[in-house]
């Protein structure tokens, strides 16, 4: 099995390499926007399905109005282009459960604004927008050379919430459920009722409900956070889940002889085939068996190729489908998940180390560059996706964002910028029991920190031009002020992330005597003489060869 997985990964990644030295797979710069919290381009869809503000919980877990139209507005304004990002990771736009569940310690109404509680994988969530708005957003991004990545879940659908159960007539609710509060919510659901079979059905999920199998004790079969667990490992052919059979607007149709895995893969690949989605960020990877991820990768790769064949004017290039995965706690090392269809894995190691001094960060850079540049036998090259802030962990200290942005955007491997890190977005409320809600506050369009944003833009644009930062050999130039070089066969840069005033940098072995260099941070040019260059630093130095 290991040999087969490695062979497939080698085939997929070799196709990425053929896209050229500036291919996306060599230098991913991903901007992650929680769509609902980013920008409201169409206020008319804010209260779809009867969703409303939370009268008790401070609106921390409600839908706030952000949508695909808002992302398109910012694309057209050049916001992402100015940051130098080459991919947008958006929360899943397909339809989520309609109502709320109890959040935190009975503190707030928790809606599926984050896209992790799917109801129907085949239809758009009306809060996110329409299929036409999705198409416009993706086409607008592609026209700027920016890929679009969907956050996807293969592990579980959404909870059995009161509103959705009532709307689709699953007869398990007690009278008066319309007036349920945070304290009595669960008392209105008859959890001993075998009519729960009319929900997803026991062939589809493990749920621990009457007639359903219980969740297992291993990573693949457990119920994560009490969510129903898709039976993706099952070889049994199934029909449509009962709830979708009664859902008039679903686009799902019966696929004869198809397993749970087959349906989910088909549904997700259809978004790629119709809209040209360039990649997936896969949630809870370690809770789904590798064979399911390989099936999704294969189907999505075929679907994207089909879309590109039919839309030659809308595609960015001929690079294949791209996937990154979230396996909680995964570090910078290569793992078996890189053989399960993933070009990269999210790197949980970096956030806790990015706040250190530059001597310690140099050790991180040296470690990452060494790992990413090392090959064992015929194993394909692999990648990671590092971050300093995350919706699942915490925000980088706001008073040190320039430092954090420098550490991230100069790091080896792929990088992920979380919305608002570039603008000093402040955290929101942190309810007890779900403190991560604080990381998902509304984008601070009315209070962008100009200095932090300018810093991020310079670093991002520099990184976009230089795959050496992602893939180059790492060389320490000097300790004080800290300076390093990153070098590949075709590219070379020198960076001094925190420096002021006049200084001399030894550049021998990186840039030749007589070379004209440009500081991308200040736009000043310098001539290399006697293996060194004298520069005037204005906070950061980003040296590259000047254009001839």
């Amino acid at each position: 099995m290991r040999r087969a997985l490695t062979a497939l990964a080698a085939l997929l990644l070799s196709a990425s390499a053929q896209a050229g030295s500036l291919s996306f797979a060599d230098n991913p710069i991903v901007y992650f926007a929680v769509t609902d919290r980013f920008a409201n381009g169409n206020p008319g869809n804010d209260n779809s399905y009867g969703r409303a503000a939370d009268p008790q919980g401070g609106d921390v877990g409600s839908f706030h109005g952000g949508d695909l139209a808002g992302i398109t507005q910012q694309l057209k304004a050049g916001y992402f282009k100015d940051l130098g990002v080459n991919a947008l990771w958006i929360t899943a736009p397909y339809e989520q459960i309609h109502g709320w569940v109890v959040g935190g310690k009975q503190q707030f109404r928790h809606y599926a604004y984050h896209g992790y509680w799917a109801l129907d994988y085949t239809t758009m969530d009306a809060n996110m927008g329409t299929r036409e708005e999705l198409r416009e957003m993706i086409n607008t991004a592609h026209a700027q050379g920016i890929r679009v990545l969907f956050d996807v879940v293969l592990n579980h659908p959404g909870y059995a919430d009161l509103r959705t159960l009532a709307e689709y007539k699953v007869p398990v609710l007690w009278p008066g459920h319309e007036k349920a509060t945070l304290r009595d919510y669960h008392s209105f659901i008859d959890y001993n009722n075998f009519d729960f079979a009319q929900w997803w059905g026991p062939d589809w999920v493990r749920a621990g409900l009457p007639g359903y199998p219980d969740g297992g004790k291993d990573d693949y079969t457990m119920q994560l956070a009490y969510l129903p667990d898709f039976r993706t490992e099952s070889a049994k052919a199934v029909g449509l889940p009962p709830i979708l059979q009664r859902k008039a607007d679903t686009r799902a149709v019966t696929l004869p002889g198809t397993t749970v895995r087959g349906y989910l893969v088909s549904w997700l690949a259809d978004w790629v085939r119709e809209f040209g989605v360039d990649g997936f960020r896969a949630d809870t990877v370690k809770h789904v068996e590798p064979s399911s991820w390989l099936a999704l990768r294969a189907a999505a790769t075929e679907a994207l190729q089909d879309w590109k064949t039919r839309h030659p004017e809308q595609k960015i290039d001929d690079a294949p489908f791209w996937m990154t995965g979230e396996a909680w706690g995964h570090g910078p090392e290569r793992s078996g998940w890189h053989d399960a269809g993933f070009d990269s894995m999210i790197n949980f190691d970096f956030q806790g180390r990015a706040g250190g001094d530059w001597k310690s960060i140099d050790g991180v850079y040296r470690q990452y560059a060494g790992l990413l540049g090392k090959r064992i036998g015929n194993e394909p090259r692999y990648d990671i996706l590092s971050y300093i802030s995350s919706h699942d962990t915490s925000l980088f200290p706001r008073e040190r964002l320039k430092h954090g942005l420098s550490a991230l955007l100069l790091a080896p491997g792929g990088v992920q910028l979380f919305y608002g890190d570039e603008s000093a977005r402040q955290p929101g409320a942190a309810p007890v029991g779900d403190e991560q809600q604080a990381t998902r506050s509304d984008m601070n369009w009315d209070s962008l920190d100009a200095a932090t944003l300018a810093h991020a833009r310079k670093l991002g644009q520099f990184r976009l031009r230089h795959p050496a930062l992602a893939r180059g050999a790492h060389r320490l130039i000097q300790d004080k002020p800290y300076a390093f070089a990153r070098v590949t066969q075709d590219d070379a840069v020198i960076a001094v992330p925190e420096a002021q005033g006049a200084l001399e940098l030894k550049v021998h072995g990186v840039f030749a005597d007589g070379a004209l260099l440009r500081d991308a941070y200040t736009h000043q040019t310098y001539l290399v003489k006697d293996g060194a260059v004298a520069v005037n630093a204005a906070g950061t130095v980003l040296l590259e060869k000047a254009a001839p």
Side-chain angles (χ1 to χ4, degrees):
M1 178 68 172
R2 164 80 177 184
R3 184 177 301 170
L5 297 183
T6 303
L8 176 59
L11 176 64
L12 294 170
L13 294 180
S14 67
S16 295
Q18 292 171 9
S21 61
L22 290 175
S23 74
F24 169 74
D26 286 331
N27 187 21
I29 310 168
V30 180
Y31 188 99
F32 173 30
V34 176
T35 308
D36 175 68
R37 305 301 170 87
F38 188 67
N40 191 348
N42 181 8
N45 61 28
D46 289 0
N47 301 115
S48 301
Y49 314 110
R51 293 165 178 161
D54 184 352
Q56 298 171 288
D59 226 21
V60 64
S62 303
F63 278 83
H64 287 190
D67 48 31
L68 297 171
I71 291 178
T72 301
Q73 287 179 355
Q74 293 306 318
L75 278 163
K76 291 180 177 178
Y79 188 79
F80 304 107
K81 192 78 170 175
D82 288 345
L83 279 170
V85 300
N86 54 16
L88 287 177
W89 157 14
I90 63 169
T91 48
Y94 45 75
E95 189 173 352
Q96 304 293 301
I97 61 172
H98 292 178
W100 54 275
V101 296
V102 179
K105 303 292 185 179
Q106 296 185 331
Q107 293 163 290
F108 64 95
R109 296 183 177 188
H110 196 169
Y111 287 86
Y113 69 87
H114 39 61
Y116 292 131
W117 299 340
L119 168 63
D120 188 342
Y121 284 83
T122 72
T123 53
M124 284 288 297
D125 191 286
N127 268 83
M128 296 297 100
T130 65
R131 298 178 88 87
E132 291 71 25
E133 286 171 326
L134 175 61
R135 197 181 319 278
E136 182 185 14
M137 188 272 285
I138 293 177
N139 287 344
T140 303
H142 284 174
Q144 298 179 23
I146 297 173
R147 284 165 167 78
V148 175
L149 317 175
F150 275 15
D151 210 339
V152 300
V153 182
L154 207 61
N155 180 29
H156 56 76
Y159 292 107
D161 70 286
L162 288 172
R163 180 182 292 274
T164 305
L165 290 171
E167 286 181 358
Y168 295 102
K169 297 180 170 51
V170 182
V172 297
L173 302 181
W174 297 112
H177 60 82
E178 302 88 349
K179 298 179 180 179
T181 68
L182 289 167
R183 294 194 176 277
D184 62 12
Y185 186 97
H186 292 288
S187 68
F188 288 101
I189 302 175
D190 182 1
Y191 287 109
N192 295 312
N193 195 326
F194 279 85
D195 281 333
F196 258 110
Q198 298 179 44
W199 182 46
W200 278 88
D203 287 340
W204 272 83
V205 298
R206 283 173 279 264
L209 294 167
Y212 285 76
D214 291 334
K217 296 182 179 180
D218 58 66
D219 280 342
Y220 295 157
T221 62
M222 68 178 288
Q223 285 184 244
L224 185 67
Y226 303 102
L227 286 155
D229 183 67
F230 278 131
R231 301 181 67 179
T232 48
E233 82 294 344
S234 173
K236 181 178 180 179
V238 297
L240 285 181
I243 194 167
L244 293 188
Q245 292 178 29
R246 296 193 301 279
K247 189 172 182 292
D249 64 342
T250 187
R251 299 167 71 95
V253 296
T254 301
L255 303 174
T258 301
T259 62
V260 170
R261 175 195 297 171
Y263 275 96
L264 293 170
V265 165
S266 176
W267 291 341
L268 290 171
D270 280 348
W271 293 100
V272 180
R273 192 178 306 277
E274 181 174 351
F275 297 97
V277 178
D278 300 280
F280 290 154
R281 178 271 187 186
D283 191 60
T284 60
V285 161
K286 71 178 182 180
H287 295 292
V288 179
E289 57 284 345
S291 53
S292 288
W293 294 121
L294 282 166
L296 179 62
R297 173 60 185 263
T301 298
E302 180 183 352
L304 183 58
Q305 181 57 56
D306 177 59
W307 180 86
K308 289 183 176 184
T309 299
R310 291 181 291 108
H311 299 86
E313 295 182 358
Q314 281 81 43
K315 68 180 182 180
I316 296 174
D317 53 30
D318 290 321
F321 195 78
W322 187 87
M323 277 176 44
T324 190
E326 178 260 332
W328 190 265
H330 198 290
E333 297 83 8
R334 194 181 194 284
S335 76
W337 293 115
H338 288 98
D339 296 323
F342 292 100
D343 298 88
S344 83
M345 294 297 293
I346 291 175
N347 175 26
F348 286 79
D349 175 73
F350 189 73
Q351 183 180 31
R353 303 173 74 182
D357 61 24
W358 287 107
K359 181 177 180 180
S360 67
I361 291 174
D362 185 74
V364 177
Y365 287 173
R366 188 167 56 252
Q367 176 196 7
Y368 288 7
L371 286 169
L372 294 167
K374 182 172 61 177
R375 298 286 187 95
I376 299 176
N378 292 322
E379 283 186 339
R381 191 168 65 180
Y382 78 99
D383 204 5
I384 55 178
L385 197 66
S386 299
Y387 63 88
I388 59 169
S389 294
S390 163
H391 65 313
D392 282 333
T393 57
S394 61
L395 298 181
F396 194 84
R398 304 288 94 175
E399 69 278 6
R400 301 192 67 218
L401 270 173
K402 280 191 176 182
H403 174 89
L405 289 164
S406 294
L408 176 66
L409 293 173
L410 297 173
V415 295
Q416 173 237 299
L417 187 64
F418 191 40
Y419 79 106
D421 272 0
E422 77 282 5
S423 61
R425 172 176 62 91
Q426 297 302 303
V432 176
D434 196 354
E435 291 82 359
Q436 284 71 37
Q437 295 296 330
T439 68
R440 308 166 189 177
S441 55
D442 291 343
M443 181 63 178
N444 57 320
W445 294 113
D446 295 330
S447 58
L448 302 177
D449 185 295
T452 304
L453 184 57
H455 183 67
R457 285 171 170 169
K458 290 176 181 179
L459 286 164
Q461 291 173 10
F462 182 70
R463 184 180 186 90
L464 183 63
R465 291 195 299 275
H466 294 291
L469 281 167
R471 286 295 180 180
H474 180 78
R475 302 181 192 174
L476 177 65
I477 299 293
Q478 62 187 42
D479 291 320
K480 292 185 179 180
Y482 170 63
F484 71 86
R486 207 75 53 74
V487 181
T488 66
Q489 183 176 352
D490 303 315
D491 188 28
V493 296
I494 290 177
V496 191
E498 290 177 358
Q500 291 285 353
L503 63 130
E504 184 174 87
L505 294 171
K506 303 293 185 183
V507 301
H508 178 72
V510 182
F511 297 114
D513 279 0
L516 184 65
L517 305 184
R518 174 181 179 267
D519 179 0
Y521 205 82
T522 63
H523 307 298
Q524 297 183 69
T525 56
Y526 305 101
L527 192 68
V528 179
K529 182 179 180 182
D530 297 329
V533 62
V535 303
N536 296 308
T540 298
V541 177
L542 302 172
L543 291 181
E544 61 188 357
K545 281 188 176 180

